[in-house]
Amino acid sequence: MIQNILIAVSGLGHAEEMLKTLKELPSIQQAKVTVLHVVPPQSTAESMTAKWEEGGKILANAIQSLALNPSQVSSILRQGEPKDVVCQVADEIDADLIIMGSRGLKRLQSILANSVSQYVFQLSSRPMLLVKDDIYVKNIKRIMVAMDNSEASKHCLNLALFLIRDIKGGELILTHVITDLGGEPTSTQVTPEQHPVLAAAAAEAKKQGVQPRCVLSIGKPGEKICRLAEELNVDLLLIGSPDRRPSIAKSFVDLDRLLGSSLSDYVRINATCPVLLARTAAA
């Protein structure tokens, strides 16, 4: 399911460390990796040459740090607007996963600071693994999936099952947050296995040989998901994200989404572990 990985490196952050951790998973070990560094446009030829040389060093250091099999890794140094180039290269290599570092900026801050990861998250339909600069990357043993009725969350479940199936001692946690009890007093007594969303997800996991742990919670979804991830010491959190806009509008930033109340935006900003965001599976 994950055969081509694109990692965008800037010389900062934990993206390379995250990839090294991922490559320890049996399901990822054969995946091909493309390491990308983008040199932004410069005002003079002299500064462009300097940035180009600096970019080459960043790429070389990243590849050396990753210590991957040479047959499984390639590098691309390209000039352009970083947010656009990352999306273009992801399409060129048909990436199954994009890995990027993130400063964890809030939505308005992201716009004002021209956050590359936020723009790529907005514009790309491919699964994206964001690693904030202020978190600690751990070996992946415990994976949590935030479940709802969407196709995106089902895609997240399949990705999680792909990742965890051969992890020795691995644990899959399925969580669902009830946001509206509808005035029914019995709803607080529902066990995770009896809830339709978790029951269906657990059944799919068991079908693939994985015995999941189900957690049913009540409250604000974003806050509850982040709190559970921290309390349960989760190493990787997967959450579905709705499609941003029709393809005809992909060249424009969706300010309503950026400034609005988005669950996936809240989680990517506030989670204390790496977050893998995915939309619906490709047709």
Side-chain angles (χ1 to χ4, degrees):
M1 184 175 285
I2 298 178
Q3 298 177 326
N4 292 312
I5 298 174
L6 173 64
I7 174 170
V9 297
S10 62
L12 302 171
H14 300 313
E16 295 96 321
E17 190 177 350
M18 186 74 244
L19 178 58
K20 286 195 288 186
T21 299
L22 271 182
K23 288 291 282 184
E24 293 176 2
L25 303 183
S27 57
I28 298 292
Q29 287 176 357
Q30 300 306 313
K32 294 187 180 300
V33 175
T34 300
V35 185
L36 170 69
H37 179 72
V38 184
V39 178
Q42 302 296 312
S43 57
T44 67
E46 183 178 1
S47 59
M48 188 70 240
T49 299
K51 282 293 184 181
W52 197 261
E53 291 176 354
E54 179 186 355
K57 292 177 182 178
I58 289 173
L59 268 183
N61 290 337
I63 291 174
Q64 183 178 13
S65 170
L66 291 170
L68 298 175
N69 184 329
S71 67
Q72 293 182 322
V73 63
S74 59
S75 62
I76 296 177
L77 180 62
R78 191 168 292 183
Q79 178 186 351
E81 186 62 42
K83 62 180 182 289
D84 297 326
V85 174
V86 172
C87 293
Q88 291 166 4
V89 173
D91 289 341
E92 287 173 12
I93 69 169
D94 195 18
D96 302 307
L97 179 65
I98 301 170
I99 301 177
M100 294 188 71
S102 168
R103 288 170 289 173
L105 298 176
K106 297 185 184 301
R107 287 178 286 273
L108 182 56
Q109 290 175 312
S110 293
I111 296 171
L112 297 176
N114 197 25
S115 167
V116 176
S117 61
Q118 173 63 28
Y119 274 77
V120 174
F121 169 50
Q122 285 286 117
L123 298 174
S124 178
S125 60
R126 300 175 186 276
M128 184 172 180
L129 178 49
L130 289 175
V131 191
K132 288 197 300 181
D133 294 345
D134 59 352
I135 67 167
Y136 175 67
V137 176
K138 300 176 291 184
N139 289 335
I140 298 174
K141 292 286 187 181
R142 193 172 288 112
I143 297 176
M144 186 169 93
V145 183
M147 295 300 306
D148 56 28
N149 281 316
S150 70
E151 289 300 315
S153 78
K154 293 174 185 176
H155 184 34
C156 283
L157 175 60
N158 287 329
L159 283 169
L161 290 169
F162 170 79
L163 293 172
I164 205 165
R165 62 187 181 189
D166 294 319
I167 299 178
K168 188 175 182 180
E171 181 181 16
L172 176 64
I173 301 169
L174 305 176
T175 183
H176 176 68
V177 180
I178 297 175
T179 56
D180 184 4
L181 302 180
E184 299 178 10
T186 58
S187 61
T188 57
Q189 303 300 314
V190 174
T191 61
E193 291 77 10
Q194 292 174 324
H195 192 278
V197 170
L198 289 177
E204 180 60 30
K206 291 173 184 176
K207 188 190 303 182
Q208 298 192 35
V210 176
Q211 182 66 43
R213 174 181 177 183
C214 295
V215 179
L216 185 65
S217 189
I218 301 170
K220 295 181 180 179
E223 293 178 7
K224 284 289 186 180
I225 290 168
C226 291
R227 187 177 304 165
L228 282 171
E230 187 169 10
E231 291 175 352
L232 298 174
N233 198 26
V234 168
D235 305 315
L236 179 63
L237 168 61
L238 282 78
I239 184 168
S241 176
D243 289 333
R244 289 311 198 186
R245 67 187 63 75
S247 58
I248 192 171
K250 292 243 179 194
S251 59
F252 301 97
V253 178
D254 190 341
L255 291 178
D256 291 336
R257 286 287 188 179
L258 281 168
L259 297 172
S261 55
S262 164
L263 173 60
S264 53
D265 275 326
Y266 182 93
V267 171
R268 74 164 181 88
I269 293 165
N270 294 286
T272 55
C273 64
V275 178
L276 198 162
L277 301 134
R279 298 193 170 94
T280 54

